[in-house]
Amino acid sequence: MHRYFLIISLLVTTVLSNGQTSLRAGIIAFYNLENLFDTLDTEGVDDFEFTPQGPNKWTSERYLAKLGNLARVILTIGEEEGVKGGPAVLGVCEIENRSVLEYLAAHPLLKASN
């Protein structure tokens, strides 16, 4: 099992096609992104340690690599239950701001799965 808290639930979507009803299962998950910060020192945010000058020496290369790793893991959520393409709904924590979340969501691996 992956290192994340996974809340599995059945998300039922009704699709009417040719007078028949079909159901599709989805996954609702919660994932701790473990301090996903960009490299910018944002005023009013305690984020200096996640800058190139901070103690973590947080660089753009490391940030982009983490985004890629997270995108790959998110896509695997639900595979053990037979659901491909990642969760239908994903809650996250330990993320610096909306901008970082938008960068993660725009990652090519995640964007392809909508």
Side-chain angles (χ1 to χ4, degrees):
M1 185 121 198
H2 298 287
R3 284 184 27 195
Y4 57 79
F5 296 104
L6 179 64
I7 301 170
I8 301 173
S9 178
L10 184 61
L11 179 65
V12 179
T13 307
T14 303
V15 179
L16 298 176
S17 174
N18 296 327
Q20 294 187 5
T21 302
S22 63
L23 301 176
R24 191 179 84 199
I27 297 292
I28 298 172
F30 183 82
Y31 190 14
N32 182 337
L33 300 177
E34 298 182 5
N35 293 316
L36 181 58
F37 282 75
D38 59 23
T39 61
L40 306 173
D41 190 7
T42 306
E43 187 176 332
V45 177
D46 185 17
D47 62 355
F48 176 74
E49 67 183 288
F50 291 98
T51 64
Q53 300 78 25
N56 291 338
K57 305 293 184 208
W58 195 239
T59 63
S60 294
E61 293 79 20
R62 292 179 68 197
Y63 170 62
L64 293 174
K66 185 166 185 169
L67 287 175
N69 290 337
L70 290 170
R72 277 188 286 286
V73 171
I74 289 167
L75 279 178
T76 66
I77 295 174
E79 283 184 353
E80 292 175 4
E81 290 77 25
V83 178
K84 301 257 185 218
V89 177
L90 178 67
V92 297
C93 69
E94 289 196 30
I95 188 164
E96 181 182 15
N97 56 41
R98 181 183 180 128
S99 174
V100 174
L101 181 60
E102 289 172 351
Y103 274 105
L104 177 60
H107 190 280
L109 291 175
L110 295 178
K111 194 169 186 175
S113 70
N114 199 22

